[in-house]
Each structure stands twice: as C-alpha cells, then as structure tokens.
Amino acid sequence: DTISNEKLDISITIVSETKKPIYRSGINKNDLLCYTGTLGTCKKDLEKLFTNKKISKKSKFIKPKLNADFFYEISKYVTASLDISDGLFFELERLSKSSKVGFDFFTEINESIGISGEEYEMLFSFNQKNQKKIAKIAKKYNIKLNIFAKAVTGKYKTTSKNHHF
C-alpha cells in the first residue's frame, strides 16, 4: 500500500490458503452481476471530509461492516468476486479483463455511484439458476442485493475518471 500521510498508518496483510478460491476470472457468459448494499455514500462522505464537514457516525469510513457469514454461505454459488475498493466501474473493468466478458446493464448506473470507492461491499457473479438460493441467504443475513447486469460476449472499459486523490 503506497500512501502519503502526516500520521502513522499501519497496514496489515493476511495471506491464507483455501481449497476453493474464488477468482476474478470465473465469470461465464449469461452469469448475473450483483453488488451488495448501497453504493455512493463513501464518495459523498469523502467530499464532506475534504470540506471539513462532519459525517454520520454510521458512515462506512467510521464503522465498516463485513458481511463474512453471508459471503461464506453463498460462496459455493459464486463464479467470480472482489470487493468494491476502487469503485464499481473500475472493478467491472477488472472482472471483464480477467474473465474476458462484457456486460449488458439492466439499468443505467449513475457515475456518482459507479466511481465511489472504499465501499466495503462485494461485487460478484453467479449462474442465474442460483438466484433464488442466493436471495434466500441474503434475506437470512439482511443483505441488500443489487443484480444489475448480465455477462455477454465482449469487453467492458469504463470512461470514468478514477476518484482517488
């Protein structure tokens, strides 16, 4: 991690092994694309912080929430995944490149949502036949699912500018 700061930062990396890793390269044509939760709040909160305004104590910057139990339970149905750290559009570009697919969006995604990073949300793909199973597990853990695209032949490249400073 390369950053500039006036204070001490501590970064921890944990390396582990698993018998069934989920890669970015596992998307198949016709898989559905989904992200958890709500996107865009981190970009808004960051803009507030840059202008010395207060943000909610419930902000993801202050209290990130990891939904590990949910993700571990759906992992057997997931074909590819990653966290949304650089914004949805940039993560989709990574998935497109790794899996050699494009995306057919069901609705337009606003740029303020698509470029908001450090969201502490997951982006993942899955076969349509597992949609009901994943929805049932999401309901169990009170996780909001946003199914927004389908994988198609082609490639995806964002035209948005990166929001990192």
Side-chain angles (χ1 to χ4, degrees):
D1 212 3
T2 306
I3 63 168
S4 173
N5 199 345
E6 295 175 8
K7 298 178 182 178
L8 173 66
D9 278 313
I10 298 173
S11 180
I12 299 172
T13 301
I14 298 173
V15 179
S16 66
E17 291 185 23
T18 181
K19 293 179 181 175
K20 293 185 177 184
I22 299 172
Y23 297 107
R24 296 177 181 179
S25 59
I27 302 175
N28 300 302
K29 186 177 174 187
N30 295 319
D31 277 359
L32 295 177
L33 278 290
C34 180
Y35 64 85
T36 60
T38 302
L39 302 181
T41 59
C42 286
K43 183 176 184 304
K44 289 176 188 174
D45 286 347
L46 181 62
E47 289 167 353
K48 286 179 184 178
L49 290 171
F50 279 147
T51 57
N52 294 319
K53 294 180 183 171
K54 290 186 178 185
I55 60 175
S56 168
K57 291 180 182 179
K58 294 181 182 179
S59 171
K60 293 177 190 180
F61 280 127
I62 296 171
K63 193 172 183 177
K65 183 179 176 188
L66 176 64
N67 298 306
D69 292 337
F70 162 73
F71 200 72
Y72 289 135
E73 195 165 332
I74 69 162
S75 65
K76 59 186 164 192
Y77 307 117
V78 172
T79 54
S81 180
L82 68 162
D83 68 297
I84 302 175
S85 59
D86 290 332
L88 178 64
F89 294 160
F90 297 99
E91 306 307 357
L92 284 170
E93 189 172 308
R94 286 183 175 109
L95 286 175
S96 174
K97 187 176 181 180
S98 296
S99 291
K100 297 179 177 38
V101 295
F103 306 111
D104 181 17
F105 292 84
F106 302 138
T107 59
E108 186 175 338
I109 297 174
N110 184 302
E111 186 174 67
S112 66
I113 291 170
I115 65 169
S116 184
E118 307 307 335
E119 286 287 346
Y120 301 98
E121 299 294 350
M122 295 301 296
L123 169 61
F124 61 97
S125 61
F126 59 92
N127 186 298
Q128 295 178 53
K129 71 180 181 183
N130 295 316
Q131 185 172 352
K132 288 182 182 177
K133 294 172 191 170
I134 291 171
K136 184 177 179 181
I137 297 166
K139 187 175 182 179
K140 173 182 171 181
Y141 291 103
N142 196 29
I143 303 294
K144 179 181 177 187
L145 296 180
N146 303 279
I147 300 170
F148 65 93
K150 179 172 78 170
V152 295
T153 302
K155 62 182 177 178
Y156 171 82
K157 184 156 178 64
T158 184
T159 57
S160 298
K161 290 185 178 183
N162 195 314
H163 77 283
H164 283 282
F165 50 93

